[in-house]
Amino acid sequence: MSEGDPIRPASPPTPPAPQPSTSPAVLSALVIDDEPANCDFCVRLLQQAKLNVKGASTGQEALDLAVTTENLALIVIDHRLPDMSGVSLLAKLRALFPDAMLCMATMHDERSLMEQAFALGCDVFLVKPHGFMELFKRLKATPPGGPDTHDQLIIDQYGLRPYRG
């Protein structure tokens, strides 16, 4: 540098261009149950399956949460809710989320309820309290939307079996 050259400040370094994310988006789940202990148990269980989980205690609260939840892949629905039946909520959620895995979780082990739930788009009919661990194991092995779609399964005290309408 000669005596007549002005001193120029160093230009700030150019930040690197953002790289597209290669990690898959975290899938979300919604648990709808008006019994706080049941809701909390299921939320914590699904969190262990590496899902981002929210809980709701009414059908309307569930609908409000569902439409604002990103990557909603699994919805666990109790049959008896204070403001609507689980099957009517299931029908609404199926219309909003055609690709989500819908699981009816109820103590009511009734053939007519199973038929109604599956006719409205239910993927898994889980009889409480049996089956939560089986659902957890299946989700750990194959998340919702994976190659095993969990289509029309019954999980109860006898284990897991396909629904045969």
Side-chain angles (χ1 to χ4, degrees):
M1 175 157 48
S2 65
E3 289 181 38
D5 289 338
I7 298 176
R8 288 186 248 185
S11 59
T14 305
Q19 298 295 315
S21 175
T22 57
S23 63
V26 175
L27 298 177
S28 296
L30 178 58
V31 175
I32 307 136
D33 197 315
D34 62 328
E35 183 61 44
N38 291 343
C39 189
D40 183 56
F41 170 77
C42 195
V43 164
R44 288 186 294 133
L45 187 70
L46 295 177
Q47 286 172 336
Q48 293 300 310
K50 307 295 186 217
L51 296 168
N52 179 20
V53 189
K54 296 179 182 177
S57 60
T58 68
Q60 188 58 55
E61 180 185 6
L63 289 168
D64 294 343
L65 277 174
V67 297
T68 62
T69 301
E70 290 187 33
N71 302 315
L72 188 56
L74 171 65
I75 305 172
V76 179
I77 308 161
D78 185 23
H79 173 55
R80 300 223 177 189
L81 297 168
D83 59 342
M84 66 180 73
S85 74
V87 290
S88 66
L89 179 57
L90 186 144
K92 291 176 183 183
L93 290 167
R94 177 52 74 210
L96 292 170
F97 302 96
D99 298 325
M101 180 178 153
L102 299 184
C103 176
M104 175 69 67
T106 179
M107 293 179 67
H108 303 279
D109 188 1
E110 301 166 8
R111 178 88 178 156
S112 62
L113 180 57
M114 284 180 197
E115 290 171 352
Q116 188 179 16
F118 285 124
L120 292 171
C122 180
D123 296 299
V124 176
F125 191 94
L126 188 146
V127 180
K128 294 178 193 177
H130 315 286
F132 279 114
M133 291 311 294
E134 183 65 36
L135 178 65
F136 172 74
K137 286 188 270 183
R138 290 186 63 81
L139 291 172
K140 288 285 285 182
T142 307
D148 177 8
T149 59
H150 309 280
D151 283 340
Q152 295 198 319
L153 298 174
I154 299 170
I155 305 175
D156 59 13
Q157 71 267 23
Y158 304 110
L160 183 140
R161 65 186 187 280
Y163 170 68
R164 302 193 195 289

